[in-house]
Amino acid sequence: MKTLKLTESRRDILSGYIYVLPALIFMLVLIGYPIVYNFLISFQKLDAMNINSGVREFIGFENYKKVLSDEVMGIAFKNTFIYTIASLAFQFTIGFALALFFNNKFKLAKPIRGFMVISYMMPITVTALMFKFMLSPSNGIINDIMVAIGIIDAPIPWLLQESTALWGLIIANSWIGIPFNMLLLTTGLSNISEEIYESASVDGANGLQKFIHITLPLLKPAILSVLMLGFVYTFKVFDLVFVMTSGGPVNSTEVLSTFSYRLSFKYYYFGQGAAVANILFLCLFAVALVYLKMIGKEEV
């Protein structure tokens, strides 16, 4: 009898492995292999001259030394962090305010909230083209509104000058990310029991005290998730930047992903492009480790 139970248990475990196997193969082939291949070629001299020859010289960290000594790499690093932090600040602040607003029970709250999600559902390339036209100095609606209400005297060529091009991208990305922040934070707010707020009211707590001592602590896991996902999504941006500015003008909007793309597919320095992509990956991996450590402390 005991042997029969043991056999059934092993059969269940085997069935579990069989169900997981397709997903495992998918991840190994489509995710694991590109990562390993990219890692390998970052240590090889691979460019347009030898890609078809099959001879790839191992050059150690030479590709990393070249890209790290490149002036554009420093600009791309700075732009990536400014773009990510500024976008997160706008997305989270406005998204949190909207989540608090829509958490109140009033008529049309759900339809309006659903309508706002459209910006998150739109393809990035469509959004990029739309903002490219909206920020245009000739007949761009953003310039027209700002001139009409007297904020500026003349249209600003947002994407055509170095001082404003990155902010044009940040505005577009914030518009995309606000609904995402709002949705996740609204879900977190809806899980906080009304009884806790009622008990606090009985004890004489005002709105600000409830927000600081109840809402923020109970919403901390959702806030961490939103910031973590937002950081990863924003830090690896490519399509929005590529469509709107392609890294210009004069590298003023160059980020790590577009720099990696340019090295690989414009100059055909595949090894150096892979090195930049790996640096980008390591940055995100470090952020993921920090997030896991913070989550681990929360669960203890």
Side-chain angles (χ1 to χ4, degrees), residues 101-148:
F101 177 72
F102 285 112
N103 194 45
N104 297 313
K105 305 292 185 293
F106 64 92
K107 198 174 181 181
L108 297 180
K110 289 183 179 177
I112 296 173
R113 195 169 60 195
F115 180 74
M116 292 185 66
V117 179
I118 290 175
S119 63
Y120 182 68
M121 295 167 63
M122 287 177 67
I124 299 294
T125 48
V126 175
T127 303
L129 287 172
M130 189 176 71
F131 267 88
K132 199 170 180 178
F133 290 121
M134 289 170 66
L135 293 169
S136 169
S138 57
N139 300 322
I141 190 171
I142 292 178
N143 275 317
D144 289 347
I145 292 173
M146 293 176 76
V147 170

Side-chain angles (χ1 to χ4, degrees), residues 186-203:
T186 301
T187 305
L189 286 170
S190 63
N191 289 329
I192 301 176
S193 173
E194 287 293 331
E195 294 176 356
I196 301 174
Y197 290 109
E198 291 170 3
S199 300
S201 298
V202 171
D203 292 336

Side-chain angles (χ1 to χ4, degrees), residues 37 41-57 59 63 66 263-274:
Y37 180 75
I41 65 174
S42 71
F43 293 100
Q44 297 173 344
K45 180 176 172 53
L46 180 62
D47 51 32
M49 302 298 290
N50 67 347
I51 189 169
N52 290 324
S53 68
V55 180
R56 300 175 182 181
E57 181 187 355
I59 56 174
N63 287 325
K66 283 183 179 176
L263 285 172
S264 296
F265 300 108
K266 187 174 180 181
Y267 304 131
Y268 303 110
Y269 295 140
F270 300 106
Q272 294 181 31

